[in-house]
Every structure is written in C-alpha cells, then in structure tokens.
Amino acid sequence: MHGVKRLLWWLLSGSAGGSNRGRILEELFIQPRNANELANVLDLDYKTVRHHLGVLEKNNLATYAGTGYGKMYFPSDLLEKNSGYFDEIWGKIGKKKK
C-alpha cells in the first residue's frame, strides 16, 4: 500500500477526529478557506478546526498562505497529487459519518 494511502487511512479512519479531518479536506478541495470560515461551514467549534488543521499541516496534507486571522488553508501539493486516494477512502468511510 502506498505511504500516502496508509497515512490517509490512519488520519481519517484509524484515529479520533478522522471524520472532522475528512470534512475539512473535502471542503478545502472545493474552496480555500480560513479557520473561521471552515468552522462556520462545517458547524464545528473554531478550536476544533484549528486543532485538526494543525494535524493536517503536521502530516503534510494541508498548507496555508498568509498569517493571522486571514491565513487561508489549501490542500497540500502532496494531497493534490494523491487526491485519488483521498477520494477512494473518503468515499468508503466519510459520507457515512456526516
């Protein structure tokens, strides 16, 4: 199994908060957003979104531009190159958890 695919399985299915991370990534593929916008769109607590964005950044699945409140988040180059793995995994587990 490809390393990115293993990472996505672990972060989305094998660890607490995986469904929220998947929802965040799904939203970032649609449109770049700041943490406050993500919290509003996904109906999540702002601190929860910030925590999950940190996990995604640490694992090179999300990146950002800017600073402070206006910091905009995007799918990372690594995730974009491997978006098929995200689609496959999220298609199996994500839609059910919403």
Side-chain angles (χ1 to χ4, degrees), residues 2-44:
H2 192 275
V4 173
K5 190 172 184 178
R6 280 193 305 270
L7 176 64
L8 285 165
W9 269 113
W10 177 68
L11 287 173
L12 302 178
S13 179
S15 62
S19 63
N20 285 335
R21 285 189 284 276
R23 292 175 63 209
I24 289 168
L25 291 175
E26 183 177 47
E27 189 61 36
L28 293 180
F29 273 116
I30 295 168
Q31 175 180 332
R33 296 191 184 269
N34 67 31
N36 188 57
E37 290 170 330
L38 286 166
N40 289 332
V41 167
L42 299 173
D43 196 27
L44 294 171

Side-chain angles (χ1 to χ4, degrees), residues 9-97:
W9 269 113
W10 177 68
L11 287 173
L12 302 178
S13 179
S15 62
S19 63
N20 285 335
R21 285 189 284 276
R23 292 175 63 209
I24 289 168
L25 291 175
E26 183 177 47
E27 189 61 36
L28 293 180
F29 273 116
I30 295 168
Q31 175 180 332
R33 296 191 184 269
N34 67 31
N36 188 57
E37 290 170 330
L38 286 166
N40 289 332
V41 167
L42 299 173
D43 196 27
L44 294 171
D45 181 73
Y46 176 79
K47 288 183 181 182
T48 299
V49 170
R50 293 284 310 179
H51 166 75
H52 291 302
L53 286 169
V55 171
L56 293 169
E57 284 180 69
K58 181 179 176 183
N59 287 282
N60 299 314
L61 296 176
T63 189
Y64 62 89
T67 60
Y69 182 78
K71 190 184 233 185
M72 295 292 290
Y73 290 89
F74 305 83
S76 69
D77 289 342
L78 176 68
L79 182 59
E80 286 184 352
K81 288 177 188 171
N82 294 281
S83 63
Y85 293 138
F86 173 78
D87 293 340
E88 175 188 345
I89 294 166
W90 193 238
K92 289 179 183 178
I93 65 169
K95 305 297 180 187
K96 301 174 193 171
K97 294 183 178 182

